[in-house]
Amino acid sequence: AILNNPSTYEILRPEDFGMTRYVAIGHRLTGWNAVKNRVDQLGLGLTDSDCKRVTNKIKNLADIRPLSLDDVDKLLRMYGQAMDTDSHHAILDSIDTPDQITGM
């Protein structure tokens, strides 16, 4: 929701202070649109369906512990690269804990 209308959630605009907006997406309350926005920032060609699938994995892993942005980025990139070999669903199925992402 913050991506659609930031003024609803922000008292001050980050741009007024030379900063950029940061939306944390490594937690269990993240929405797929926030993940899609990050996918677009990284230049990955994931579909909405792919983003929803990865979002569900992020939420499941975040029930164990919140993920860092590096962890989320690594997961998104692994998923995107695995699409080339059509093994992207297996990538998500093979990860059961956040530590597995950190160790990769």
Side-chain angles (χ1 to χ4, degrees), residues 73-94:
D73 288 353
K74 191 181 285 188
L75 180 63
L76 292 171
R77 288 187 175 112
M78 286 187 318
Y79 186 87
Q81 290 169 352
M83 289 180 71
D84 295 338
T85 60
D86 202 33
S87 61
H88 51 293
H89 297 298
I91 288 289
L92 294 184
D93 293 340
S94 70

Side-chain angles (χ1 to χ4, degrees), residues 15-97:
E15 299 84 19
D16 292 344
F17 299 92
M19 302 179 78
T20 58
R21 181 171 293 105
Y22 171 77
V23 178
I25 61 172
H27 55 84
R28 64 184 185 88
L29 300 177
T30 196
W32 77 269
N33 281 312
V35 173
K36 175 72 172 167
N37 182 266
R38 186 61 182 166
V39 164
D40 292 342
Q41 288 175 350
L42 295 173
L44 303 173
L46 304 184
T47 65
D48 288 355
S49 177
D50 290 325
C51 290
K52 289 175 184 178
R53 188 171 169 90
V54 174
T55 300
N56 284 333
K57 179 53 82 172
I58 290 169
K59 289 179 175 216
N60 290 336
L61 294 172
D63 279 339
I64 298 169
R65 73 161 169 79
L67 304 175
S68 69
L69 186 60
D70 288 339
D71 289 341
V72 172
D73 288 353
K74 191 181 285 188
L75 180 63
L76 292 171
R77 288 187 175 112
M78 286 187 318
Y79 186 87
Q81 290 169 352
M83 289 180 71
D84 295 338
T85 60
D86 202 33
S87 61
H88 51 293
H89 297 298
I91 288 289
L92 294 184
D93 293 340
S94 70
I95 299 170
D96 298 318
T97 68

